[in-house]
Amino acid sequence: MVTSIAVALRRSGHAAALATLTAFAACAPSTTDVGTSSAPLTATCVDSSATIPPGALRCSDVRVVECTGPSGTDPGTIYVVPAPVTDGGTAPLCADTQLTIDHPQPLPLGSTTVTVTETAEAGTGRVCTSTITVRDTTPPRATSKDSTMWPPNHEMTRFAAADCVTAVDTCSAHVSLSFTYVTSDEPADSTGDGHTTADVAPVGCDAVDLRSERKGNANGRVYRLGWRAVDESGNATLGECRVSVTHDQRPGGSATGGPEAYRVTFPPCK
């Protein structure tokens, strides 16, 4: 909902700030709640364009800014020089002017036309409009999480994408997580592993069943799980986590990993 507010503005030496930022979410698997709130767009009156800081957002500018939060973007301060409110009149001073901005709340993704009007003793008139486009080009920030399975009892254990990665995104309230592949550094059927197959079973695009087993005459098994974290604008971060089956629980018995023996690829996540 758009609301209009009247703000009495005086001479100001505020520095302009065009905030930049991060990503947004999409896909069909699990999601993570993330994000921060944003401040509203504000207007500052100046009596001369010469007093506007270099590079600051001027009323009547066309600007592109990066998304700064799930509730919208704070493009900073818009600087306004008063204009005559009547034909042939003179421009009022900021000390005698009230400004109204029709989009005081954070701006959403896409293009928004912001209109600033002024009220002075001579009346009310439109000062200017600015077109501000909010874009989201930054992928989520993500961190892998490794796991260990024990005992090697040949049973299947389910891992969700959220067990493998945590992801946050500044612009969106949700980040979607999915798997892209799983590799093993041991064959599905080999010496001393119980002769049980298959060892990797995808479940949708955001979960997988892995068999807890390893070769009896090797150094343990390491599964590598490729993951994908996607925001609502389609920006993606890729990575990999490890799930290990240790050879034993003695010191030095942890799995070290080796060359890829085989790979299972997940279908694309929509």
Side-chain angles (χ1 to χ4, degrees):
M1 180 178 69
V2 175
T3 58
S4 295
I5 60 172
V7 183
L9 299 169
R10 299 292 185 263
R11 298 174 184 269
S12 172
H14 286 78
L18 290 178
T20 56
L21 222 64
T22 338
F24 226 73
C27 195
S30 57
T31 59
T32 302
D33 292 335
V34 291
T36 58
S37 60
S38 297
L41 174 67
T42 58
T44 294
C45 184
V46 291
D47 286 320
S48 168
S49 60
T51 61
I52 299 176
L57 177 61
R58 298 167 177 254
C59 196
S60 75
D61 277 358
V62 176
R63 288 290 183 98
V64 177
V65 298
E66 189 71 8
C67 184
T68 60
S71 62
T73 290
D74 169 24
T77 298
I78 185 168
Y79 286 83
V80 180
V81 178
V85 295
T86 59
D87 291 339
T90 58
L93 296 174
C94 286
D96 304 317
T97 303
Q98 285 187 324
L99 297 181
T100 301
I101 185 169
D102 68 345
H103 284 79
Q105 73 278 12
L107 304 181
L109 285 172
S111 295
T112 300
T113 299
V114 177
T115 300
V116 179
T117 60
E118 67 181 23
T119 300
E121 185 177 348
T124 298
R126 188 177 73 174
V127 176
C128 58
T129 60
S130 292
T131 300
I132 301 174
T133 300
V134 179
R135 66 180 183 180
D136 174 24
T137 63
T138 309
R141 302 183 302 276
T143 303
S144 292
K145 300 184 291 184
D146 294 341
S147 303
T148 300
M149 289 192 289
W150 186 265
N153 57 6
H154 314 294
E155 299 294 327
M156 300 292 274
T157 299
R158 181 160 299 179
F159 290 87
D163 298 323
C164 184
V165 56
T166 57
V168 295
D169 191 89
T170 304
C171 191
S172 173
H174 300 285
V175 173
S176 293
L177 307 175
S178 60
F179 287 122
T180 55
Y181 63 83
V182 176
T183 71
S184 173
D185 67 343
E186 294 184 348
D189 187 9
S190 188
T191 307
D193 68 357
H195 305 296
T196 49
T197 57
D199 296 343
V200 178
V203 182
C205 61
D206 64 342
V208 62
D209 289 338
L210 301 178
R211 194 176 302 280
S212 181
E213 67 179 24
R214 80 286 186 266
K215 293 173 62 174
N217 59 350
N219 61 355
R221 176 178 297 186
V222 176
Y223 296 103
R224 298 182 183 272
L225 288 64
W227 52 258
R228 185 170 183 255
V230 187
D231 67 23
E232 290 177 354
S233 294
N235 302 305
T237 299
L238 304 178
E240 187 180 82
C241 73
R242 293 165 41 120
V243 175
S244 302
V245 185
T246 60
H247 183 272
D248 54 67
Q249 293 189 300
R250 294 175 298 177
S254 60
T256 58
E260 179 180 319
Y262 69 94
R263 172 179 296 238
V264 176
T265 303
F266 280 66
C269 181
K270 297 181 180 180

